[in-house]
Amino acid sequence: MGSRQVTAWHGKNITVAGLGVSGISAARALAGLGAVVTVVDNGDGDLHRARAAELGEQGIEVRLGELDGGGRAGEVLPEGTDLVVTSPGWKPDSPLFAAAAAAGVDVVGDVEIAWLLRGPDAAPWLAITGTNGKTTTTQILASILRAAGLKTAAVGNIGTPIIDVVLGEERYDVLAVELSSYQLHWAPSVRPHSAAVLNLAPDHLDWHGSMEAYAADKGRIYEGNTVACVYNAADKATEDLVVEADVEEGCRAIGFTLGAPGPSMFGVVDGILVDRAFVENRQKNAQELAEVADVNPPAPHNIANALAAAALARAFGVEPRAVRDGLRDFRPDAHRVSHVDEVGGVTYVDDSKATNTHAAEASLAAFEPVVWIAGGLAKGATFDELVQKAAKRLRGVVLIGADRALIAEALARHAPEVPVVDLARTDTGAMLAAVREAARLAEPGDTVLLAPACASMDMFANYSKRGDAFADAVRELAAEQA
């Protein structure tokens, strides 16, 4: 870190909104650069107080809950604030930000701060966003980059806070950066080397206010790209964002498709992933990269993830062999189309991470016939389109969770012949009951798929706990049938 960056922050009064992981990271980093930091958060529980005490030891003031002078900490702009740094989850219409706007104070996120704190020889960013698949794609990209012998890390909306990586002692050749729509909203200066938008579907609309605003925030990832804007040829909205982006001269639009690719695209030919973008004479030539069998798991949506990651890696100059080796080395996280077991000739698959309809649609498209376990908190989603697309694949459906009636109604409209089991119970044994009902509906050769299309918090702490409950239930079923 050069003296210029340190000088730029020294003595500035900075308010950090949120006492979560990214807020703590920003507060510590900026205080370390000489800024006068105040953290505000409406929470006032034991965890909040413990974190506040730790920051207080570093000279960082923390204001929690209700303030003595009236109002809540997260709604009142501290006097003299020069800049507000927000955590991703804080909505744009939060009272704190309205107060900042009235005072002429800018609001940015931790990703913006990380970008501004980069040194002159900082690692380029290869950035990824999308409604679904961005974590997996970022991890695949990092695996490919490592296979190419490059020092890299998967950061951003994943793993270590990006500020900590930028300011850390480790030096990197390139970073694989996952960015959420929240983070992009608050990151006006970020200019990646290359970037990809994997897909766009309605999500977080309560935060963004509209689908148009959500898409616009996603599209910020393309701003200032220097080599490649990677888009999904099957999702025109992603290509539209490329067209609208203000990029560097010479930056190219690179599409990916599950079919045969045209020039300047990545795609699949006879079970082979191929590159027709970063090759000589792309009008006629294609470069073989890997086999579909090298993708883990080789479900259609994950093949698309692999193609997007390969496109970004190739934009950075990675050789074809590294793409293949990186795909072979990659191991997906739990609860993402994870094979749990085979019991009585039926395969059980955990995709608890499919917390919205778009993710569930991709998961369902990978299997046939399917007994589908679905339900939870719908977050305002509708299910007609999902059920219409999946209807022919369904052997049966088991519904759980608070908003299961919404899925039941869509099934009644668009798949009335499919057997449906509606489980009203929400106790700890509910998942075992769901798995037993699914086993009863399934036939040898079928797949029982947990792809809820809903959030988990009505019954479980998070999607991981829901997936764990499913896996435990499958193991108990296997023991019963042994």
Side-chain angles (χ1 to χ4, degrees):
M1 176 65 60
S3 60
R4 182 181 61 81
Q5 288 95 330
V6 175
T7 303
W9 299 98
H10 189 81
K12 273 199 170 183
N13 291 303
I14 298 179
T15 296
V16 174
L19 198 52
V21 174
S22 63
I24 291 172
S25 170
R28 286 176 170 163
L30 293 168
L33 294 173
V36 179
V37 178
T38 302
V39 180
V40 297
D41 196 298
N42 286 334
D44 196 13
D46 291 343
L47 179 59
H48 289 86
R49 293 182 183 184
R51 289 176 172 175
E54 290 180 9
L55 291 178
E57 292 176 359
Q58 300 170 53
I60 298 170
E61 182 184 356
V62 180
R63 302 181 184 179
L64 298 175
E66 299 290 339
L67 298 175
D68 292 339
R72 296 176 65 99
E75 299 175 356
V76 178
L77 184 71
E79 188 175 349
T81 296
D82 296 312
L83 179 71
V84 175
V85 179
T86 180
S87 300
W90 285 51
K91 292 185 177 182
D93 60 357
S94 296
L96 178 68
F97 304 152
V105 174
D106 289 335
V107 179
V108 299
D110 64 309
V111 172
E112 175 76 1
I113 296 297
W115 183 261
L116 296 175
L117 290 177
R118 297 173 318 127
D121 299 320
W125 291 13
L126 300 177
I128 295 165
T129 196
T131 303
N132 293 298
K134 52 187 177 291
T135 296
T136 299
T137 304
T138 304
Q139 293 171 329
I140 293 173
L141 173 60
S143 183
I144 293 171
L145 295 171
R146 283 192 293 268
L150 296 165
K151 181 78 171 177
T152 191
V155 298
N157 197 41
I158 177 177
T160 306
I162 194 166
I163 291 177
D164 294 355
V165 172
V166 167
L167 294 181
E169 294 183 1
E170 290 267 14
R171 299 272 69 87
Y172 295 96
D173 299 310
V174 58
L175 294 176
V177 186
E178 177 189 338
L179 295 176
S180 70
S181 56
Y182 301 161
Q183 291 171 317
L184 285 162
H185 180 89
W186 302 116
S189 300
V190 170
R191 298 292 184 266
H193 172 287
S194 298
V197 180
L198 304 176
N199 43 61
L200 281 174
D203 202 19
H204 306 304
L205 300 191
D206 56 339
W207 195 96
H208 293 276
S210 69
M211 185 62 193
E212 291 73 22
Y214 172 64
D217 281 334
K218 289 289 192 187
R220 289 188 180 204
I221 203 167
Y222 290 135
E223 291 299 310
N225 287 192
T226 60
V227 176
C229 295
V230 178
Y231 67 91
N232 184 349
D235 190 338
K236 186 177 182 298
T238 65
E239 186 175 7
D240 291 343
L241 294 178
V242 177
V243 173
E244 295 163 7
D246 184 10
V247 301
E248 293 294 314
E249 187 70 29
C251 183
R252 294 167 55 198
I254 307 296
F256 63 90
T257 174
L258 295 179
S264 290
M265 295 181 70
F266 284 62
V268 181
V269 178
D270 296 332
I272 304 294
L273 276 61
V274 299
D275 167 6
R276 286 193 67 186
F278 299 104
V279 293
E280 290 186 14
N281 192 4
R282 58 183 178 270
Q283 296 296 329
K284 296 181 179 180
N285 295 337
Q287 172 66 55
E288 293 187 7
L289 299 174
E291 297 182 7
V292 166
D294 294 322
V295 180
N296 181 20
H301 67 284
N302 205 44
I303 296 169
N305 294 339
L307 289 165
L312 289 172
R314 293 283 285 156
F316 196 68
V318 165
E319 292 297 318
R321 179 182 291 272
V323 174
R324 182 201 66 188
D325 293 346
L327 290 175
R328 289 178 177 177
D329 291 344
F330 173 70
R331 296 292 178 271
D333 286 347
H335 314 302
R336 288 174 168 84
V337 200
S338 301
H339 179 277
V340 176
D341 203 352
E342 185 176 311
V343 183
V346 176
T347 300
Y348 290 79
V349 175
D350 167 16
D351 195 15
S352 183
K353 184 63 170 65
T355 58
N356 57 45
T357 57
H358 193 263
E361 178 186 328
S363 192
L364 285 162
F367 305 100
E368 187 176 5
V370 175
V371 177
W372 180 29
I373 299 178
L377 289 176
K379 301 182 298 181
T382 58
F383 299 91
D384 291 88
E385 184 177 353
L386 171 61
V387 169
Q388 282 179 307
K389 291 181 177 179
K392 293 181 180 179
R393 297 177 176 274
L394 298 177
R395 176 82 69 191
V397 181
V398 180
L399 296 175
I400 60 174
D403 292 330
R404 64 190 183 281
L406 297 175
I407 306 176
E409 292 163 4
L411 287 161
R413 285 190 288 270
H414 306 293
E417 73 289 349
V418 175
V420 177
V421 177
D422 189 318
L423 287 179
R425 58 189 291 185
T426 58
D427 59 282
T428 54
M431 187 60 81
L432 178 58
V435 167
R436 284 176 173 159
E437 290 290 349
R440 183 179 60 80
L441 292 171
E443 298 179 9
D446 289 359
T447 297
V448 170
L449 174 66
L450 174 69
C454 293
S456 59
M457 287 79 74
D458 57 330
M459 294 173 63
F460 303 93
N462 49 51
Y463 75 81
S464 295
K465 295 295 185 184
R466 179 170 60 187
D468 290 343
F470 175 77
D472 290 344
V474 172
R475 283 189 280 270
E476 187 165 338
L477 179 71
E480 291 171 355
Q481 297 190 9

